[in-house]
Amino acid sequence: MSMRLMPKSLIYLVLLLCAFVVAFPLLYTLSTSMMSEAESAVYPPPLLPDALNISNFIKVAHTIPVLRFIGNSLIVSCAIMAGQIITASLAAYAFAFLKFPGKTLLFSLFLATMMVPWEVIMIPNYLTVKNLNWLDTYQGLIVPFLASAFGTFLLRQYFLQLPKELFEAAKVDGCGHMRMFFKLVTPLSMPAITTLGVYSFLNNWNMYLWPLLTTNREEMRTVQIGVSMLQFEEMNSWNLILAGVLTLLLPSLLLLALGLKPLVRGITAGALKG
């Protein structure tokens, strides 16, 4: 092997080891989910099962309504993702291109909401949802999260990087704000919009505390609460628990795999701008 290829080979080896370290929890979850109950209870636990027990996934489906939980989380996460994209893109366009009194102050106040911990506003939000009789409903799970200060900030910063000459030419041609938003800004900003969509979906898919507070009926539970329903006071069958975790993670892992490239492209957009 030549000296020129040696550094590149070492780099690939280090990257391969790092990738294995990052993926090891997921691989071990997959391995344990196919173990028998006796194997999963052994200490120290084995790395590989003696046989592949696909029946664990069938037992999970019989223990909890997996499809119902996945459906609830899909409805909630997709609705919040769509709402945040719409509200954040419209607000970002206003803060980036419109001129109105108090614009800077209003944007500063808007960003200040990002500094307020979720725990501070959780109880007021819960009382509001309760007074509206939205407990155990989709609107109670969705409406409090339809706006995102982070999403507005992300899209505004991306909108400001778009070429100003393009908008000046559009104004000369008689384009109004709505036409410029739909015909110019939205198509040119798809990397940032996709980034916000993937981030919003994954963040709300993994939400646990709010669905736990606002839902009491099993048919309204989401996937994160569904995983906890596999744990019992008498004993924990880790093979079943991890089989449930893997089953309920599949949609989010699939979205992450499909949206990873747009996510990275949107996050790094403009980072190397000279």
Side-chain angles (χ1 to χ4, degrees):
M1 183 179 295
S2 64
M3 294 300 294
R4 182 177 298 179
L5 295 178
M6 183 69 70
K8 184 177 291 187
S9 301
L10 290 176
I11 290 174
Y12 285 145
L13 179 61
V14 171
L15 291 176
L16 183 62
L17 291 176
C18 293
F20 176 77
V21 171
V22 172
F24 178 77
L26 184 61
L27 296 175
Y28 184 70
T29 299
L30 176 62
S31 175
T32 307
S33 67
M34 295 186 180
M35 293 181 183
S36 64
E37 186 173 342
E39 286 179 309
S40 64
V42 173
Y43 184 83
L47 291 178
L48 297 173
D50 292 336
L52 301 180
N53 295 302
I54 309 298
S55 60
N56 290 336
F57 296 92
I58 301 175
K59 291 179 183 178
V60 169
H62 287 211
T63 305
I64 60 174
V66 175
L67 294 180
R68 179 70 183 185
F69 293 155
I70 292 178
N72 289 339
S73 289
L74 280 175
I75 292 173
V76 172
S77 300
C78 289
I80 293 176
M81 177 183 66
Q84 288 191 1
I85 288 176
I86 294 172
T87 57
S89 59
L90 291 173
Y93 181 89
F95 284 125
F97 300 112
L98 300 185
K99 295 180 180 180
F100 52 89
K103 172 182 171 180
T104 303
L105 176 60
L106 183 59
F107 184 66
S108 299
L109 293 175
F110 206 82
L111 293 183
T113 61
M114 297 173 59
M115 304 177 189
V116 180
W118 163 245
E119 291 76 11
V120 174
I121 62 175
M122 180 174 57
I123 299 303
N125 280 342
Y126 173 79
L127 295 176
T128 302
V129 167
K130 182 180 179 181
N131 292 333
L132 292 172
N133 294 322
W134 283 359
L135 296 179
D136 282 319
T137 62
Y138 286 119
Q139 57 265 34
L141 293 169
I142 295 171
V143 171
F145 304 96
L146 288 179
S148 170
F150 168 77
T152 303
F153 174 75
L154 174 69
L155 295 184
R156 175 187 177 271
Q157 297 306 110
Y158 194 91
F159 291 172
L160 291 176
Q161 296 180 13
L162 299 177
K164 297 181 180 179
E165 296 80 7
L166 187 63
F167 297 99
E168 293 174 356
K171 289 180 181 179
V172 172
D173 289 339
C175 285
H177 287 295
M178 294 303 296
R179 188 176 178 185
M180 281 195 294
F181 176 77
F182 287 108
K183 297 295 185 179
L184 294 178
V185 175
T186 301
L188 292 174
S189 304
M190 286 310 297
I193 293 174
T194 304
T195 300
L196 176 60
V198 174
Y199 171 82
S200 174
F201 183 92
L202 294 177
N203 191 42
N204 290 286
W205 179 273
N206 294 321
M207 189 164 46
Y208 176 79
L209 187 55
W210 183 251
L212 183 64
L213 285 175
T214 57
T215 58
N216 296 308
R217 293 183 292 130
E218 185 177 281
E219 56 267 26
M220 290 303 301
R221 298 291 196 182
T222 56
V223 291
Q224 302 305 323
I225 303 176
V227 171
S228 65
M229 293 174 64
L230 292 171
Q231 299 180 1
F232 306 99
E233 294 183 1
E234 296 82 8
M235 59 174 295
N236 286 327
S237 299
W238 290 109
N239 56 329
L240 292 183
I241 293 174
L242 294 181
V245 168
L246 194 63
T247 302
L248 299 175
L249 276 178
L250 283 178
S252 59
L253 291 176
L254 180 62
L255 177 67
L256 184 60
L258 295 176
L260 185 59
K261 183 180 290 187
L263 181 64
V264 174
R265 189 190 306 127
I267 291 175
T268 58
L272 301 179
K273 184 177 180 180

